[in-house]
Every structure is written in structure tokens, then in C-alpha cells.
Amino acid sequence: MNKALVIHLIQEQIRNQVLILALEKLGFDCTIYTLNISEIILTFMGFRNKTDDLYQQYFKLIERAVEETDYCNMDEKLREWSELIYSEMKSSSLNIH
């Protein structure tokens, strides 16, 4: 699958999570607006067997990215984190082709 597309999807998932958390801090319930594309991302990356451990690894990286991303540095951090997450997941020993 196209690496650029996967990296873009990861960026959008991080961006969505940052927005959701900001709105929740203001008191809004945003659970229905969560972007659920992790399965698609992992499939495009070549994972056939998507175990709970794989999802946990992925979401742990997403959470770290969200913690370090705010509106002042969003574009820069989105680029950095999406590349890092892509690389970490691709090099994962859980990646079974």
C-alpha cells in the first residue's frame, strides 16, 4: 500500500484525537466523532492478524503523539509522529506478512 497514504491517515487520526480531547476538556461529549480508521491503517500497513497486542502498541504510540501535539506545533508534530508511528509499526515483530 502507498506509504504516503498510510502516513496521511495516521496524521488524521492524531489530529482527530487532539481535537476530541480539546473538546472534551470543554465539557463536550465527542465519542461519536472519534475517527475509527485504525483497522484500515493496520491493514494498509500489511498486518493480516490484528491482535489486541497490535492495537495496544498502535494506540500507545497514538497517545504519545497526542500528548506531545498541540495547536502551536501541530503540523510539525503530525509529520514527525506519523513517520515515527509508521516506522515503529512496520519494524514491529508483530508484523506478519
Side-chain angles (χ1 to χ4, degrees):
M1 186 49 64
N2 185 338
K3 178 181 176 180
L5 173 60
V6 174
I7 288 173
H8 174 73
L9 292 174
I10 293 169
Q11 286 177 352
E12 293 307 311
Q13 187 158 32
I14 296 167
R15 183 188 319 272
N16 175 259
Q17 196 62 30
V18 168
L19 177 61
I20 293 295
L21 291 175
L23 290 171
E24 285 177 350
K25 286 180 183 176
L26 296 173
F28 294 98
D29 177 14
C30 299
T31 52
I32 63 170
Y33 300 109
T34 301
L35 195 59
N36 293 317
I37 58 173
S38 55
E39 183 176 356
I40 293 166
I41 290 168
L42 294 173
T43 299
F44 285 175
M45 290 181 72
F47 291 97
R48 287 190 223 152
N49 185 18
K50 293 178 237 18
T51 64
D52 287 343
D53 288 340
L54 180 68
Y55 280 105
Q56 286 176 2
Q57 179 184 2
Y58 177 74
F59 285 119
K60 188 182 298 182
L61 290 167
I62 293 291
E63 286 174 23
R64 283 181 41 213
V66 169
E67 288 172 5
E68 290 192 19
T69 304
D70 59 35
Y71 294 102
C72 297
N73 65 4
M74 184 171 281
D75 290 337
E76 175 187 338
K77 288 295 184 180
L78 286 175
R79 277 190 302 276
E80 289 174 14
W81 273 105
S82 59
E83 290 275 350
L84 177 73
I85 291 169
Y86 180 87
S87 296
E88 291 274 330
M89 296 302 295
K90 286 299 274 186
S91 67
S92 171
S93 62
L94 298 172
N95 193 358
I96 302 170
H97 292 287

